[in-house]
Amino acid sequence: MPNPKLPPILINKAGSVYYVYTYKNIWDRELKRSKRGESKKIGTILGGQKEGKIRFDEAFLQEHPEFRNYQVERKGKDYVFTPISEEGITLEQARNIKKLHAGATWALDQIVADSPVGEFLKECFPRHKDYKKILSLAYFLILNQNNNVSFYESFAETTRLPYPRALSPSAVTRLFQRIELRDVQRYFSLMRSYLQEDEDNKIILALDSTSISSYSTNLTHIEYGKNKDDALPQLNVLFLVDQKSGLPIFYRFYDGNVPDVSTIRHTIADQALLNMKNVVLVADKGYNSVKNINDCLINKVEFIFNVRLGTKGCLARELIDEHRKEFADLNSGDPYIRKNIATAKVNWKYDPRPVDGKPASNTASAELYYHMFYDPVIYQEAANKLTESLLTIKKKLLEEEALTEQEEELKEKFFRNDKEKGLIIVNRRVDEYLKYKGFRVLVTDSEKDPVKAWTAYADRWRVEDAFATLKDRLGCNRIRCSDNKALQGKTFVQFIATGLSLMVRSRIRSYMRENKKAGKLNLVYESDSKILQVLNNVMQTRFNHGYYFDEVAGKKIKYFEALDVRVPGAGPETPEEVPEEPETEPLLGTDIEI
C-alpha cells in the first residue's frame, strides 16, 4: 500500500516551537515565473526540534483523512511514514508497550520518600545504582512474601520498580556481595544521626533476637540451637527498633547456639561504635542477667528489662512477697494501664572495672527501680485453665481413660496418692504454681515512673512485629543463602524490607485509629499484605516515551488514602535511564540457594 502524498511542506520556527505549513505555488505574470503563495499551518513537530514526529492539526486531517493511518516523522529533508494500527499506535510502539503492576510499588515509593531510608541508601550504595536495586528487591520481598530470589527476575519483568531492569539470580548474587559491612554500618550511623536530631528526647530502642534456620553448612554463624520452629541448624539475628518511628535501625548476627542473655555485651559495644547517646534499651525476658545489668551501668546505657519470675528465691519474687498487701489494696490500681502497681528501690552493687578471672570488687553502686505490676484477670485466667485441666485429669482417671503426655506431667506435678482418698489434687502445689501468675516485674536504672516504664515496655511490640514481618510475612524464616559474603547483603535487603513493612503497618494503624471519621474504610479484617496486593493490580502502561497509570477508582482510592499517599495521576512518568548490571561472573561458592 503506497504512502499518501504530502503537499508542499514549509517549516517555520516561532519561539521554541517548529510549525509545519503547506502552501501553493502561483504564477507571477510580471516575473514570468512561479512563486510561493499564501501558506497555511497544518501541524507541529513534537519535541521542540526541527526533526521529529509531526502532529497534524485536525482541520488538515479532515481534509486529508488518509494521514490518520500513518505517523509521519521528519528526518533531515526526508519524511518517514509508519503505519498506525487499529489501536492508534504504530507497530513499533505496539512492540514496546508493556503493562506493569504498579500501584503497590507507587505507594511504597511515596512512603520511602517520606522517610530517610531512600536518601540514606543512595548515600551508602551509589555504585551501579545499587540503592535502587536494594529497594526493588525489598519491594519483591514485601509483595511476593518469599525470599527466594530466583523468582525476582520474572517479578521484575511485570512490576514497576525503582530499578526498571530485571536482574538475573547471578546479578542479584553480585549485588549481595557488593553490600559490605562498612556500608551497612554507614547506613546505621546515618539512621542514628537522623534519630538524634532532637537531642532533648530519649531514644527508646526495643531489643530482641530471633533464630533463622538454614540447610547450608558453609555459613560461619550456623549452629544447632533452640529453634522453636524446626530442628535445622540456625543463626541468630538481633534487631534494634526505634519504638517511636518503628524503623529498624540496627541488626547483627551471632552464632545459633549462643543464648540470648549473652548478646547484650556485644550489642552495647556496637552501640558504642555507633556513638549513640541518650538511649534506653527495652528488652523482654532473657536479657536481665546480672552481667547484662552491670554492663549497661558500666557503659551508661539506660535500660528497662522484663524480669524472669521462674527462679525460686530470686530478688523479684522476694520483692513481690514484700509488697503483697499493696497489691491487695484497690488504690494501687492504675486507671490507664489497668494494673495494680508497687515499686521498690534497690541499691545495686557492681564492679566498675571488671577483670575476667578476678572476683568482682563491687565498689560502685546504682539505684535500680523494680516496678511490679499485678493483673488479677491474668491470674484468674491461669487459675481457671489449671483447674479445668486438673478436673479433666481426675475425670479420666475415674473413668479409666488414657491421659495425654501433657496430662501425665500435670498428674505427676499436682496429684498424690492418699491412703484413704486415693489420688487427690495437692492444693499447696497449686497455690505455689499460681503464686506469681499475673505478675510482671520491670527493672530499670532510669525510669522512676512505673506507668511510663510499662508503656515503654508495652510499645516493644514493634520489634516483635519486625520479627513476624521478617519471618512470616516476608518468608524469611529460612536464609536460602550458602555464602558468607552474600549473606551480609541478603540480610541487609531483608532488614530494609522489614522496615518498609513496619512503616506500611504503622500508617494503616494510624488510619484505623481515625476510623470513626465519615467515609473511612474499616480495615480491621484487612491485612497490610492484602491491601498492597489489591493496589498491585493498579496497572501502568509503558511506552517508549513514558509510563501512564490506568484509572484508579473505588476501594483502591481508599487504600491509597489509608496509606496516606496520593493517588497516581493520569500524566506520564518519564523513564530513567539506568545502566545494565555489569556482566562479571560471581565468585566460586557464592550461589544463592533456590
Side-chain angles (χ1 to χ4, degrees), residues 137 140-141 146-153 167-179 214-216 218-219 475-476 478-494 585-594:
L137 282 161
F140 162 76
L141 293 179
N146 191 314
N147 74 336
N148 190 336
V149 296
S150 65
F151 299 144
Y152 176 76
E153 191 170 12
L167 299 175
S168 66
S170 61
V172 173
T173 301
R174 292 194 295 272
L175 170 65
F176 289 159
Q177 292 171 339
R178 289 197 298 271
I179 298 175
S214 174
Y215 285 109
S216 175
N218 299 327
L219 299 178
C476 299
R478 191 150 296 152
I479 285 293
R480 292 191 176 91
C481 181
S482 60
D483 173 68
N484 285 298
K485 189 171 178 62
L487 175 63
Q488 178 68 253
K490 185 168 190 180
T491 305
F492 182 72
V493 171
Q494 292 176 169
E585 292 299 320
L587 299 176
L588 293 177
T590 56
D591 58 305
I592 298 294
E593 296 176 10
I594 60 175

Side-chain angles (χ1 to χ4, degrees), residues 393 396 401-411:
I393 292 170
K396 282 187 174 184
E401 292 183 25
L403 301 180
T404 66
E405 184 178 344
Q406 184 178 12
E407 288 171 340
E408 285 286 358
E409 291 177 1
L410 291 175
K411 174 190 167 186

Side-chain angles (χ1 to χ4, degrees), residues 177-218:
Q177 292 171 339
R178 289 197 298 271
I179 298 175
E180 297 183 4
L181 179 59
R182 63 183 180 184
D183 299 320
V184 172
Q185 290 176 338
R186 170 65 175 155
Y187 180 87
F188 294 157
S189 179
L190 290 171
M191 191 63 73
R192 171 213 69 194
S193 300
Y194 169 76
L195 292 176
Q196 289 194 314
E197 286 181 357
D198 184 1
E199 296 181 356
D200 296 331
N201 293 325
K202 291 182 179 179
I203 301 172
I204 301 178
L205 299 178
L207 177 150
D208 208 345
S209 61
T210 191
S211 55
I212 300 178
S213 59
S214 174
Y215 285 109
S216 175
T217 58
N218 299 327

Side-chain angles (χ1 to χ4, degrees), residues 221 235-238 251-255 479 487-488 491:
H221 297 286
L235 60 81
N236 290 331
V237 182
L238 180 140
Y251 72 88
R252 66 181 294 269
F253 299 122
Y254 60 98
D255 292 353
I479 285 293
L487 175 63
Q488 178 68 253
T491 305

Side-chain angles (χ1 to χ4, degrees), residues 438-464:
F439 282 96
R440 172 160 285 157
V441 178
L442 301 178
V443 59
T444 174
D445 65 328
S446 56
E447 187 51 73
K448 299 179 181 180
D449 187 328
V451 175
K452 289 183 179 179
W454 175 272
T455 302
Y457 173 78
D459 282 348
R460 69 174 299 283
W461 63 263
R462 292 185 184 276
V463 74
E464 294 175 353

